[in-house]
Amino acid sequence: MKLFSFLFTSSIGRKVLMAVTGLSLVAFLLVHCGINACIFFNDSGKTFNAAAEFMAHNWLIRTAEVGLFGGLLIHIIQGLSLSLSNQTKRKEKYRASAGDANSKWYSRSMGILGSLLLIFLVMHLKHFWVVSRFTDAIQETKGSTLFDEMIIVFTDPLPVIIYVIGCLSLAYHLLHGFQSAFQSLGINHPVYTPIIKSVGNAFSLIVPLVFAAMPIAMHLGWIK
Amino acid sequence: MSKLMKLHLKVWRQKNTESAGNFEDYKVDASPDMSFLEMFDVLNEQLIETGKEPVAFDHDCREGICGMCSMVIDGRPHGPKQGVTTCQLHMRSFNDGDTITVEPWRANGFPVIKDLTVNRSAFDRIIASGGFISTNAGNAVDANSILVPKEIADEAFEAATCIGCGACVSACKNASAMLFVGAKVTQLSMLPQGKPERQSRVVAMVNQMDAEGFGACTNTGACAAECPKQIPLSVIATLNREYISAKMNGK
């Protein structure tokens, strides 16, 4: 255990853990986004429900889900504690500051962006994950599916607005986090780093955009 | 001689480490050809002539290589120019009638001694913890007895240009010292003379860095953007890599 204690104690080790858990969440986002995008087939959720059904009953996916929640929890707790500890390193603040002259605002706001995401996430899990796993609201025998649940949730404009704000926070969180994770793991290379940055920028734009399109499209009745 | 510029200064004055500081307003007429520190010399002469306490600030070589000057000018360490120390910043980078705010480096690891002078001995303790090579003293060895490939020598030299001024800490929102430690670790671990101790060195230096009260890295890049020697952000990746590899080897 001593071998891995640095991941929770040293400044670099803690960042390594943020990077590893962050990248695993990036991988999850890709799968999540891909499966949910099945609603855009506009076949009354037939393809989407089949994919959701597979994800819910495949034992490999269910095992990975445990790992996902573990990683997510570590990312949240470590992120919050790092963010709070970093804020104490300059007790006397600058009276004049020019942060925009040397860095991007979102790179300096990962704690706030992450916290916004956390608020969104609690609501999001309550909407779909809790309902599908722990209640019997969604049962094929009753003729109600996860797709139907989406339609119900996104009829109300309030969740739509919150989901879009959540996606915007996600975009900026990823815009810094994706490439930053590689730097934290010690990967900075004259050839690969520009590629990583481009892939990261594209990912941060496309994935949140596709996610945001789902509640909007459902609310406006484009998808039935 | 060029026309004098009329400047308004807001300078941080602090009696000692314990006391609370505050801004004092001053008016200075400065030549655009003066360096920022020469402008401060003019200010201090004015203060002495009127029987006031001159502003304490650090300086030594005044040619950008000693790393002593340390002023945060309008919120930016070493002022608005890139790749320049405060001593090499000229007043022509400002406009006639400007109000300029001058503060000390601010970080828990760099306590203020007086006014704009801070205690940077935390950097010395980090170096003492591992930023050296161990070698047997004796006759000087032949210059080419240890061969170093040119590209390795160049990269190590780029990292070695760090003057240890602390602008990286000062610019970082977390007051992190990783660019400084990264530069030293990169320089030493790349060269054959530094390789034998590379693993124990990086762990010792990072432990000392954490103990001195510097923050962790958020990869905002502010340090590299403000570094007067333009040390690249890649040295922090090298530091991370060296540290992870040392830890994986049970160091």
Side-chain angles (χ1 to χ4, degrees):
Chain A
M1 207 52 223
K2 193 179 167 287
L3 188 65
F4 296 107
S5 65
F6 79 102
L7 293 174
F8 299 94
T9 54
S10 97
S11 54
I12 294 181
R14 299 180 77 187
K15 286 296 298 180
V16 168
L17 200 56
M18 285 306 284
V20 171
T21 52
L23 287 177
S24 68
L25 291 171
V26 162
F28 157 73
L29 277 179
L30 196 63
V31 175
H32 185 16
C33 187
I35 287 182
N36 282 37
C38 292
I39 64 164
F40 293 117
F41 283 115
N42 217 351
D43 54 359
S44 308
K46 224 176 133 210
T47 319
F48 168 71
N49 281 332
E53 199 60 21
F54 167 78
M55 294 303 277
H57 295 107
N58 184 288
W59 65 270
L60 203 69
I61 302 292
R62 296 303 298 269
T63 314
E65 192 181 28
V66 177
L68 169 70
F69 271 94
L72 181 65
L73 219 57
I74 291 172
H75 196 78
I76 293 168
I77 296 168
Q78 182 95 295
L80 281 173
S81 105
L82 254 178
S83 212
L84 292 175
S85 124
N86 283 337
Q87 278 170 28
T88 64
K89 304 298 181 185
R90 179 174 288 126
K91 288 208 179 85
E92 187 89 43
K93 305 282 177 221
Y94 286 110
R95 305 306 193 270
S97 59
D100 290 333
N102 51 37
S103 55
K104 296 273 195 288
W105 71 267
Y106 50 83
S107 76
R108 304 192 302 272
S109 315
M110 292 300 273
I112 293 163
L113 290 169
S115 303
L116 280 174
L117 277 173
L118 181 59
I119 295 168
F120 158 77
L121 202 63
V122 170
M123 194 177 175
H124 178 51
L125 288 178
K126 193 176 152 285
H127 277 154
F128 300 109
W129 187 71
V130 173
V131 170
S132 65
R133 287 276 187 283
F134 301 106
T135 69
D136 45 6
I138 294 162
Q139 277 179 347
E140 268 182 284
T141 47
K142 282 200 216 159
S144 104
T145 65
L146 204 56
F147 182 81
D148 299 333
E149 190 64 24
M150 283 175 88
I151 298 271
I152 295 167
V153 169
F154 297 133
T155 313
D156 187 359
L158 190 68
V160 177
I161 293 166
I162 292 173
Y163 273 59
V164 170
I165 295 171
C167 289
L168 201 67
S169 313
L170 177 67
Y172 281 110
H173 198 75
L174 281 171
L175 208 52
H176 178 69
F178 191 100
Q179 49 97 11
S180 173
F182 289 90
Q183 166 87 0
S184 292
L185 292 173
I187 300 163
N188 192 320
H189 187 278
V191 177
Y192 302 131
T193 297
I195 298 173
I196 289 169
K197 284 188 176 171
S198 305
V199 171
N201 290 347
F203 190 92
S204 321
L205 186 74
I206 296 166
V207 170
L209 210 62
V210 172
F211 271 132
M214 296 169 194
I216 294 173
M218 285 194 145
H219 183 72
L220 297 177
W222 295 342
I223 285 168
K224 291 183 193 103
Chain B
M1 202 181 135
S2 354
K3 197 172 160 281
L4 290 182
M5 307 162 71
K6 291 201 182 301
L7 299 166
H8 304 268
L9 296 178
K10 284 171 83 74
V11 181
W12 187 259
R13 303 302 306 259
Q14 186 172 334
K15 206 164 188 283
N16 53 43
T17 310
E18 288 76 32
S19 63
N22 63 289
F23 280 113
E24 293 280 342
D25 292 313
Y26 301 109
K27 282 194 167 102
V28 179
D29 293 344
S31 153
D33 302 323
M34 280 177 179
S35 76
F36 205 83
L37 296 187
E38 284 167 336
M39 187 269 291
F40 258 77
D41 293 336
V42 172
L43 169 68
N44 276 348
E45 280 179 25
Q46 280 177 27
L47 291 174
I48 292 165
E49 277 167 16
T50 51
K52 290 187 186 134
E53 178 95 5
V55 180
F57 63 91
D58 257 329
H59 63 107
D60 191 19
C61 74
R62 296 205 179 197
E63 55 186 11
I65 53 172
C66 76
M68 281 305 283
C69 52
S70 49
M71 290 183 185
V72 175
I73 302 160
D74 289 336
R76 298 184 66 183
H78 295 300
K81 292 264 162 187
Q82 284 209 313
V84 166
T85 52
T86 303
C87 64
Q88 298 241 295
L89 175 69
H90 288 89
M91 297 318 295
R92 55 179 168 267
S93 307
F94 299 87
N95 298 313
D96 193 18
D98 273 0
T99 300
I100 306 170
T101 309
V102 187
E103 294 176 78
W105 280 182
R106 295 193 195 275
N108 295 0
F110 289 161
V112 171
I113 298 171
K114 187 180 168 133
D115 297 338
L116 304 174
T117 311
V118 298
N119 185 343
R120 281 171 283 185
S121 55
F123 271 14
D124 298 335
R125 289 189 291 274
I126 294 173
I127 292 294
S129 71
F132 50 80
I133 61 156
S134 302
T135 183
N136 290 324
N139 285 341
V141 279
D142 182 73
N144 292 320
S145 62
I146 303 172
L147 297 176
V148 181
K150 178 76 170 102
E151 56 270 32
I152 299 285
D154 284 349
E155 211 176 314
F157 185 76
E158 187 189 30
T161 56
C162 166
I163 53 177
C165 66
C168 44
V169 173
S170 153
C172 175
K173 75 175 185 76
N174 305 337
S176 170
M178 292 222 188
L179 197 73
F180 167 74
V181 178
K184 301 303 166 191
V185 163
T186 302
Q187 172 204 339
L188 292 168
S189 62
M190 290 194 83
L191 295 173
Q193 294 89 337
K195 280 198 194 293
E197 293 159 293
R198 67 195 286 187
Q199 297 201 328
S200 54
R201 172 189 305 119
V202 68
V203 173
M205 287 180 82
V206 169
N207 286 346
Q208 190 64 35
M209 173 181 82
D210 289 351
E212 294 291 349
F214 297 110
C217 179
T218 304
N219 301 328
T220 68
C223 52
E226 297 292 4
C227 173
K229 296 293 135 184
Q230 299 183 309
I231 303 288
L233 207 58
S234 60
V235 299
I236 299 182
T238 306
L239 172 70
N240 295 340
R241 202 160 59 233
E242 290 286 321
Y243 184 81
I244 296 166
S245 134
K247 280 292 173 188
M248 289 299 117
N249 278 292
K251 283 280 183 282

